[in-house]
Amino acid sequence: CDMDIQWRRVAATRGWDVEIHGDKSTPQVHAELDTRVLAVSVSPGFDNSAVQFALEHADSQIKALVLRLYGTGNLCSAKRDFIEVLERATARGVVVVATTQCQTGSVMLGHYAVGAALEEVGAISAADMTLEACICKLSYLFGRGDLSNEEISRLMPVSLRGEVTPAEDLPPPPFSERFGALNVETRRRR
């Protein structure tokens, strides 16, 4: 099929700003997926030994671990050993992404202490991305074959096709303004 497609016009109808390199009539399609992504739902009292084995086994080829956490990105605060497993995994180049099990809302890793600990060991927030969107996005980004783990980590919070709400458009966490005001008032009283 020999067609002359004006990609800038197509993009403009969708509200996209595009840069076109090389042959202007042929889009570049990346159809390869790398599905070496492990998804784990965290529940109270979960045993992390299976996840540790999967990540640290000599033959492990896992490229990413997607964690389905509680609320804004939390797990049991007594799971310091699991945080250490995640730290070793990110040091070996495994991309660790935190999603929420909630139907609505967003992961905000710095909001609570455990989420901050996850962030410190290199976990990335999936914000309000669904588990399925997160796995597909990771599989696509790894499947391209031309991106480093650092680049993939930087692209996770970026909306490629509407899979994640931009951070500036997310609502503030529940009670954050009231909590902040109460926290300031409590500190003044001391």
Side-chain angles (χ1 to χ4, degrees):
C1 175
D2 189 18
M3 294 190 305
D4 182 27
I5 300 173
Q6 296 179 346
W7 291 109
R8 288 189 197 284
R9 282 190 166 171
V10 171
T13 64
R14 301 285 305 194
W16 301 334
D17 183 26
V18 297
E19 279 186 46
I20 298 177
H21 304 281
D23 183 357
K24 294 177 178 26
S25 64
T26 307
Q28 187 173 10
V29 177
H30 296 277
E32 294 296 319
L33 297 179
D34 188 333
T35 58
R36 291 177 284 179
V37 177
L38 176 64
V40 176
S41 289
V42 176
S43 59
F46 86 104
D47 180 358
N48 54 284
S49 60
V51 175
Q52 181 176 357
F53 181 81
L55 291 171
E56 296 180 355
H57 189 274
D59 294 333
S60 178
Q61 294 184 14
I62 294 171
K63 289 194 166 191
L65 173 66
V66 179
L67 298 171
R68 291 188 70 222
L69 302 173
Y70 323 138
T72 60
N74 291 295
L75 55 88
C76 177
S77 60
K79 286 287 188 184
R80 185 65 209 161
D81 57 333
F82 186 57
I83 299 289
E84 291 167 3
V85 168
L86 300 177
E87 184 173 31
R88 290 191 300 271
T90 58
R92 281 192 320 280
V94 175
V95 175
V96 177
V97 182
T99 64
T100 182
Q101 296 176 27
C102 298
Q103 295 294 328
T104 61
S106 179
V107 172
M108 296 176 230
L109 289 179
H111 198 62
Y112 295 106
V114 177
L118 288 168
E119 195 171 42
E120 285 174 20
V121 300
I124 305 160
S125 169
D128 64 347
M129 229 183 309
T130 64
L131 174 67
E132 296 81 5
C134 188
I135 291 170
C136 288
K137 185 171 189 173
L138 285 164
S139 297
Y140 163 72
L141 293 173
F142 279 115
R144 287 178 53 108
D146 63 347
L147 298 171
S148 69
N149 283 11
E150 183 180 317
E151 290 169 317
I152 290 171
S153 296
R154 285 198 325 259
L155 285 169
M156 287 305 291
V158 176
S159 177
L160 301 179
R161 295 291 180 263
E163 74 283 0
V164 62
T165 305
E168 61 274 6
D169 294 337
L170 288 170
F175 310 113
S176 62
E177 290 178 27
R178 183 168 180 232
F179 175 78
L182 290 172
N183 194 22
V184 168
E185 184 63 32
T186 302
R187 287 184 181 174
R188 281 189 205 150
R189 289 182 187 171
R190 290 184 187 166

